[in-house]
Amino acid sequence: LLRLGRNRPQRALSYARLKIAAQTMPILLGGDARMWQRWIFLFGRIPGGLFLIRDHIPVRDPALPAFIFEMALEKMLEESCNNILDENGSKNYHLAEKMAGLFLETLRAWGNTYALRRRIQLHRYCTQSQRWNMWLPTSTNQSAPLFIQQAEKDLNRRISQTAFGCLTGMQFSTSAMQNTSIRQSLDSSSDALFDIDHLAFRFSQRLHVPDTNDYDNDHLAPAVKIGALDPHLSVVVEALAELELMRERFDQALGYYLALGCHFASDSFSSLEESAVSTVNSVSQQPESSRHPEGSVIGKYDHVLSLIEIHQLYPILLTRNYNFVDSASDVQIEPPIASLIRLVGLNKAGNFLMESISPPEDTYIDDQNKEKVIYVGANLPLDLVARQLKPRPKLLYWFLYQVFTRKPEIYVKFPTTAVPPNSITDLHRIQFSLFVEFAEENGSG
């Protein structure tokens, strides 16, 4: 620490020495808030320094001013963006991915505890009764994914961290988390360590669009706008999604997540489409008794599916609430359903859509009484989902096959009428032509 304070750039400190310095900060600085401010700023001048001390910065005792956390988060975001790779190397890419993950982890840890607890609940909701056929890993050494474990650790630290806790060797444990989770008075939506609105404004400026607080509780918020499409800004978009979750503006948060799937996801739409065709053609050649939806381990963005269901955000999937306003490039804006598929993957999106689709609006139980079919929890009309996927024929081919095999009661079986609705017969014709085209391409015609 003395070497840092004396500011001797000619004698660079090694990573190991910086790590030792970071680990000794809680012991040497204790509850002195002024000293903590000084050394946080000093580490901020070292590339990557704030990433080293993020787990040691006090979040409860002593109480530090909000601008300290805001400075640290902005600096960490800047370094994360600056280290995004040029597409020719791999080392910088993995470094940037790790830095972006640590930044987002820190942002959540320093936000309000209500949002942090909700984030854990959203992830665990996916696995309740194997929701959407997802499950937690069953390894004896890991009872939950690392991001859930880290969130629980951060929440426990927000509740119980003290200036001299390091002297007692206090370690995080599941039992400690369970004992402190009952302290609901500390679980607040207004106890963020930084000004959420101010940070959202600062981050939105990086996308070349202003943040808006013009929000009406009775109506959906204005559309999410993204003005810069540089790949390294994907972490900014995800950070804004996290901040909207903290502000409980769930439709805006979903808009940012869908924008990630539309433009910033790692897998391209072309590879996704090829996987979709391959999935259908390989499954269609299996015996019918062996066909079943595959399960999958809970992943990074699966909480978005929980967010949609719990907060009934299905209208966002039917009416896009995100837009790209980059005048320097001609951007193809994908519809929400396609963006969601790209964000969470074919398997999970397929399971989610099969539980969420409902019959087209012109489908009735009884032609004479005109009583509509009611499906509990189904909020996405089949024909409207298919319409969104029409510009992506291979995805539409995959989707209609899923409906055909897994939801026959709304697609091929109509016991009370001899003539299927027009919207259904139109989809049958489309599916037949897509099958002829893509099944023959793969030699399975």
Side-chain angles (χ1 to χ4, degrees), residues 14 21 40 71 89 116 127 130 183 204 245 338 369 393 419 431:
S14 66
I40 290 171
M71 178 281 298
L116 190 57
T127 61
Q130 293 189 336
R183 299 171 62 178
S204 64
L245 286 177
N369 298 326
V419 181
Q431 184 178 10

Side-chain angles (χ1 to χ4, degrees), residues 178-189:
Q178 292 173 347
N179 291 334
T180 56
S181 62
I182 61 175
R183 299 171 62 178
Q184 297 296 327
S185 60
L186 296 178
D187 185 1
S188 170
S189 60

Side-chain angles (χ1 to χ4, degrees), residues 82-98:
N82 291 341
N83 279 279
I84 289 284
L85 157 68
D86 53 347
E87 300 176 354
N88 296 322
S90 58
K91 183 176 181 180
N92 287 343
Y93 173 78
H94 293 300
L95 174 63
E97 285 289 299
K98 186 173 182 179

Side-chain angles (χ1 to χ4, degrees), residues 123-176:
H123 278 296
R124 292 197 176 278
Y125 180 81
C126 298
T127 61
Q128 292 176 1
S129 303
Q130 293 189 336
R131 200 82 183 122
W132 308 302
N133 216 23
M134 295 183 211
W135 42 272
L136 290 173
T138 57
S139 168
T140 56
N141 297 323
Q142 183 177 332
S143 59
L146 290 177
F147 50 82
I148 294 182
Q149 292 185 25
Q150 183 63 43
E152 292 176 338
K153 178 182 176 181
D154 291 333
L155 181 58
N156 180 70
R157 189 165 183 263
R158 288 291 300 277
I159 295 172
S160 60
Q161 180 266 332
T162 62
F164 301 101
C166 60
L167 300 178
T168 63
M170 183 181 65
Q171 299 292 330
F172 168 76
S173 67
T174 303
S175 59

